[in-house]
Amino acid sequence: MKKVTLFIMLMCALLAHGQSSNETKTITAFAELLGWNTNILGLKGKVNVEVDFGDESWGWQGNDGRNLLVDEDGKQIKFNSMVDAMNFMGERGWVFEAAYVVTVNNQNVIHWLMSKEIPLDGNAKEGIIQLRDSKKKKNKSNRFDDSIYN
């Protein structure tokens, strides 16, 4: 009986050691969804939304629109509410973490913190286009109009 038990323990140890992990290593990426009403009174207006992925040149105070969400054609996406914007992000795998409001120049700016598990070599921005990305694509595609470069 002792030999059988020892054999079973040895086999379990070998099998456990021999198993390889096929799990992809992931990290948690964080982003901040910023929204503010498009009309002065804040009544029944659409919401402008920017996403801060922690890029070095980010800054709402400059408000140059670099981080606004746009569609494939580079046209700004207007959301009905912050919940509408969060549904957009949720479809791309983002999860709500926390929220707070900051008033800037008499304008309430809503901040929603989000997270997403991505592979170590993954891209947190997958499926999300910002105005800054749209401008880069246009500049690259129009860089050389001469047919010799195409």
Side-chain angles (χ1 to χ4, degrees), residues 107-126:
Q107 173 71 53
N108 288 334
V109 181
I110 302 163
H111 297 249
W112 284 16
L113 301 175
M114 301 169 301
S115 66
K116 177 181 179 180
E117 291 295 319
I118 62 169
L120 284 174
D121 60 347
N123 181 1
K125 293 183 181 183
E126 187 175 333

Side-chain angles (χ1 to χ4, degrees), residues 133-144 150:
D133 303 324
S134 175
K135 287 181 179 180
K136 287 178 189 174
K137 286 180 185 176
K138 286 180 183 176
N139 289 342
K140 285 182 182 177
S141 65
N142 296 333
R143 188 170 184 172
F144 300 108
N150 295 328

Side-chain angles (χ1 to χ4, degrees), residues 30-32 51-58 67 125 130 132:
F30 293 93
E32 186 174 30
V51 180
D52 174 10
F53 288 103
D55 297 340
E56 64 183 68
S57 59
W58 186 86
N67 296 310
K125 293 183 181 183
Q130 293 174 294
R132 69 172 63 219

Side-chain angles (χ1 to χ4, degrees), residues 80-99:
N80 295 318
S81 66
M82 285 298 287
V83 174
D84 187 20
M86 188 61 223
N87 285 334
F88 174 86
M89 297 298 285
E91 290 170 357
R92 287 148 183 82
W94 289 93
V95 177
F96 175 82
E97 296 288 337

Side-chain angles (χ1 to χ4, degrees), residues 37-53:
N37 212 303
T38 58
N39 71 18
I40 296 171
L41 299 176
L43 303 173
K44 295 187 179 181
K46 299 283 185 174
V47 178
N48 283 325
V49 175
E50 289 189 0
V51 180
D52 174 10
F53 288 103

